[in-house]
Amino acid sequence: MTDSTVESVRDTTADEVDAIAVAAAGAAGPWAAMSLADRAGVLRGVADRLDAHAAELIPVAMRETHLAEARLAGELRRTSFQLRLFAQTVLDGYFLDVRIDSADADWPMGAPRPDLRRMNVALGPVVNFAASNFPFAFSVAGGDTAAALAAGCPVIVKASPGHPELSRAVGRLVDQALAEFGAPSGTFGLVFGRDAGVQVLTHPAIAAAAFTGSTAGGRALYDLACRRPVPIPFYGELGSINPVFVTEAAARTRAAEIASGLLSAVSASAGQLCTKPGLVAIPEGATLFTELAELTRTGPVPTGEMLNEGIAAGFTRAVEHVRAQPNVELLAGGEPGEALLLATTARTVLSDPDALLHEMFGPATLLVSYRDTTELLELARSVGGQLTVSIFGDHVDDTVRALTAAAVGTAGRVLWNSWPTGLSVTYAQQHGGPYPATTSPTSTSVGTASISRFLRPVVYQSVPDDLLPLELRSDNPLSIPRSVNGARPQ
Amino acid sequence: MTDSTVESVRDTTADEVDAIAVAAAGAAGPWAAMSLADRAGVLRGVADRLDAHAAELIPVAMRETHLAEARLAGELRRTSFQLRLFAQTVLDGYFLDVRIDSADADWPMGAPRPDLRRMNVALGPVVNFAASNFPFAFSVAGGDTAAALAAGCPVIVKASPGHPELSRAVGRLVDQALAEFGAPSGTFGLVFGRDAGVQVLTHPAIAAAAFTGSTAGGRALYDLACRRPVPIPFYGELGSINPVFVTEAAARTRAAEIASGLLSAVSASAGQLCTKPGLVAIPEGATLFTELAELTRTGPVPTGEMLNEGIAAGFTRAVEHVRAQPNVELLAGGEPGEALLLATTARTVLSDPDALLHEMFGPATLLVSYRDTTELLELARSVGGQLTVSIFGDHVDDTVRALTAAAVGTAGRVLWNSWPTGLSVTYAQQHGGPYPATTSPTSTSVGTASISRFLRPVVYQSVPDDLLPLELRSDNPLSIPRSVNGARPQ
């Protein structure tokens, strides 16, 4: 932050929003046309600048989000790592999914096959609705921005109201890096305010949207995206309860370990994580209950302050909703700043799933006791779309196999003896799942595969070599991996 | 057709639709769990059965669609070829997009990377709204059905009202082949009637929809899919004008060839093709006009009968709309069964693009004369989302490069000196483009890549080998291509 004067951050005006969207449309062609090496250089330039300014950014983030310094430092490291991983993804060229069919007069379809050369191209300007709970990794220069820029798309970020000054500071660093590394003006934009977000989403210049936030807010924006005269893909990551199923064997043999892991997973970052476990199925009468009681006996489990008053109020409402259901008991916690453990039975949940399968975005979880394997499996098949399902087991038996099948049917990530928090940014990662976990279950919002959300395929038919982009020319000058005539990419 | 008695085909009742959808939901798990080899065997079984019954099916198709025998025989060959190509795609295993990250304590993100193993799984039951204009290739056992079955999804086809008896006959053959090769009951279903289609689309059991048809009809169904309590992906291929841009050099040197190619492309299958060229930009005063006049002087270009009265009436309305615009002239044709050539100027189109960029689904095209390169490029940048854009040129110069850039920005397929009709089913093919060409520009509805519409990724985290599916086990028993730690698939 070269400018450390704090002025209040005002909403972006309608005229300003329009200018930003028009600038993004103008930048779309030139930005997509930059070489892969130059595009990767821009991403690295943003990463370097974030790292260089960590000491200035982290205090602003701490003040605006109440998250701890160590957590924010780790998150910033993750964010710059993520940008560099996308730079590498761009250079690899594998995301272009190049497929080439050579002309074939004897193609068995019954008609000659022309020369066809296919690659992914950038979809166009993307709006990224930033999340409040990851002020670096899912915000201005976070995963959605990195993936869209890597795809060759300009990005307009709708800032989270939870950390406006940090958003502005990061936005300036992104602007500076893009200018320094030669990205066209308009490649990045930042808007503030709810109306501005709606205006960008419905602007004709915009080709796709990414969102991380609540189910209600995300669904409202999804509906707007679908109702546009020209509808656009809306990649929303909404709500998830991230159920955890503990088998009888695991509850018997590893109760202490599971109990302490659960309390950590529920209380970390004050439970304000998309992947916080919100429902834990435990065999009736398991010693796990005793272990949890033991761990909470000496006093409440501290969670730290919540992000802001709005989120704290939403958490209170969600908890009150669950506590108001019949047969729900308070096990531990209940005051602000404490991890909250509620308990009920699988019978209760199964008798009214909509009432109890209810995300509490904050440090709370619902322990659900089941009587037998039948009830456990019925519960596992009733939880609806999820980002994650975790199974704590001891050995692989029929119950575990059935739980795993149910988990694959309902979630994007299935974990064994692991907590779903602490998502890793990798090549194979999948963060997304059936609705309401995401509005687009066929994609991910974390990991290098998330770039494909912002790409569309184009095929060139019988186009001469000197009119083709470098990626598709016969001599493959960029050494891009390409699948020729249906073979694996070489 | 073992049962050759023709009874009138009635609409499927609400109770029947519900039973079919529930059966599809029941089949989803077992069908997805069949081995890749068995799934490929089912697809080949359907293909073989279609081929074996060609002599019975084609006369029914001729009677219901008025399409010529040779065209229908070719289309049936294409359809069974397509099923076999998807069988091969299934066996290849590349569509699973397997990615494996090994555990890495030093992953530079700043936290250890767990073992992550990702693969695509079937999305669930798919409804396929069959098209009227390809009674085999885009209908009951057509591309969308083949792709969804190949992905491991049950399919419910909403039959086209244009060929109900053929639909029923093909449906029986599919049923028989599925039963013979061991697919679970409920893997395939067939419904008739508009209400039945809406009921399937909005049924909770359905996970995705595919559609080929008009912009109005497709948009209405897309809106329904988005408004469901659980919205689902809707892959609609709607309208396209498939503009053709003829450079001055090409118009000068190859007028006769282009003129005769154009008349073939417009009149084939009575112009009832998604890829029929509906707008051809030609330099003002080009000899191409003379050539076209010459070719049509001896009499109208015959097109054959249209599919049905509804489509003929829609075509008449679309033509009347375009003819009613100012500065639109009739060049040739105009009676039923004749190719229709209309003409106007680029100035006229650019002054009111919405009025003139209007799909005429039938044997008509609009010749648009341009005065100079500026007007040509302005036109190329104004045509909106398209399945295809064709460029007829002589040599590669700046104008051709600018036309190509505009084409890539607006279409899914860009052709050089080729007509867009006669779509080839291949590995690299792309049939889809920005709205209104399709509702999902990131995908294709033709070619092996179309399978990805019906898949979603799932990642297994730290799951022991004996609990993993075969595709992800450490020893790779199925020899599936897999990308390990970000490398190209081996």
Side-chain angles (χ1 to χ4, degrees), chain B residues 32-98:
Chain B
M34 274 181 79
S35 75
L36 298 181
D38 286 345
R39 203 190 294 170
V42 169
L43 290 165
R44 287 181 175 142
V46 175
D48 291 345
R49 206 166 277 254
L50 288 179
D51 283 346
H53 291 261
E56 300 149 46
L57 296 173
I58 288 170
V60 182
M62 289 171 68
R63 192 176 69 241
E64 289 192 317
T65 67
H66 311 130
L67 291 167
E69 183 172 4
R71 144 77 201 261
L72 289 165
E75 188 187 328
L76 181 52
R77 195 160 55 236
R78 165 186 170 163
T79 305
S80 56
F81 164 77
Q82 188 162 254
L83 285 155
R84 292 191 188 96
L85 191 65
F86 275 110
Q88 182 199 315
T89 300
V90 169
L91 289 173
D92 286 348
Y94 186 53
F95 74 101
L96 298 169
D97 191 20
V98 173

Side-chain angles (χ1 to χ4, degrees), chain B residues 243-248 281-282 346 350 368-384 389 391 397-407 410:
Chain B
V244 176
F245 300 102
V246 181
T247 65
E248 291 195 30
I282 293 173
L350 291 169
V368 177
S369 62
Y370 63 86
R371 286 180 299 190
D372 53 27
T373 303
T374 306
E375 241 178 40
L376 172 64
L377 293 177
E378 196 180 345
L379 188 63
R381 292 175 186 134
S382 306
V383 293
V389 166
I391 300 165
D397 58 15
D398 286 349
T399 301
V400 163
R401 291 194 189 283
L403 277 175
T404 305
T410 209

Side-chain angles (χ1 to χ4, degrees), chain B residues 27 30-31 34 38 42 149 174-175 177-188:
Chain B
W31 173 239
M34 274 181 79
D38 286 345
V42 169
L149 289 176
V174 174
D175 269 336
L178 264 59
E180 181 182 342
F181 287 86
S185 169
T187 301
F188 173 80

Side-chain angles (χ1 to χ4, degrees), chain A residues 308-399:
Chain A
N308 56 57
E309 285 178 15
I311 287 181
F315 175 59
T316 301
R317 279 194 305 273
V319 168
E320 281 170 0
H321 168 88
V322 175
R323 287 186 67 170
Q325 305 304 316
N327 302 320
V328 174
E329 284 175 68
L330 176 69
L331 276 194
E335 294 302 314
E338 299 175 8
L340 179 73
L341 301 181
L342 302 172
T344 190
T345 65
R347 287 187 296 290
T348 306
V349 176
L350 291 168
S351 69
D352 191 359
D354 286 345
L356 281 158
L357 297 171
H358 191 81
E359 186 179 12
M360 299 176 282
F361 190 74
T365 200
L366 180 64
L367 303 180
V368 177
S369 61
Y370 63 86
R371 284 180 301 192
D372 53 28
T373 303
T374 307
E375 240 180 39
L376 173 64
L377 292 176
E378 196 181 343
L379 188 63
R381 292 175 186 133
S382 305
V383 292
Q386 301 291 343
L387 290 171
T388 73
V389 166
S390 306
I391 300 165
F392 282 79
D394 181 75
H395 54 280
V396 175
D397 58 16
D398 286 350
T399 302

Side-chain angles (χ1 to χ4, degrees), chain A residues 41-121:
Chain A
V42 169
L43 290 165
R44 287 181 176 145
V46 175
D48 291 345
R49 208 167 275 255
L50 288 179
D51 283 345
H53 290 261
E56 299 149 47
L57 296 173
I58 289 171
V60 181
M62 288 171 69
R63 192 176 67 242
E64 288 192 318
T65 67
H66 311 130
L67 291 167
E69 183 171 3
R71 146 77 201 264
L72 288 166
E75 188 188 330
L76 181 52
R77 194 160 55 237
R78 166 184 169 167
T79 305
S80 56
F81 164 77
Q82 189 161 254
L83 285 155
R84 292 192 187 96
L85 191 65
F86 275 111
Q88 181 199 316
T89 300
V90 169
L91 289 173
D92 285 349
Y94 185 55
F95 75 101
L96 298 168
D97 192 20
V98 172
R99 303 178 192 213
I100 296 178
D101 296 327
S102 48
D104 182 351
D106 298 320
W107 185 232
M109 177 178 145
R113 183 176 79 184
D115 180 284
L116 291 167
R117 292 164 189 250
R118 179 188 211 257
M119 65 180 281
N120 285 329
V121 301

Side-chain angles (χ1 to χ4, degrees), chain A residues 280-318:
Chain A
V280 186
I282 295 174
E284 203 171 61
T287 54
L288 198 49
F289 288 105
T290 326
E291 295 287 345
L292 284 166
E294 185 74 22
L295 286 168
T296 55
R297 201 181 45 184
T298 51
V301 179
T303 63
E305 205 175 335
M306 298 197 74
L307 289 163
N308 56 57
E309 285 178 15
I311 287 181
F315 175 59
T316 301
R317 279 194 305 273

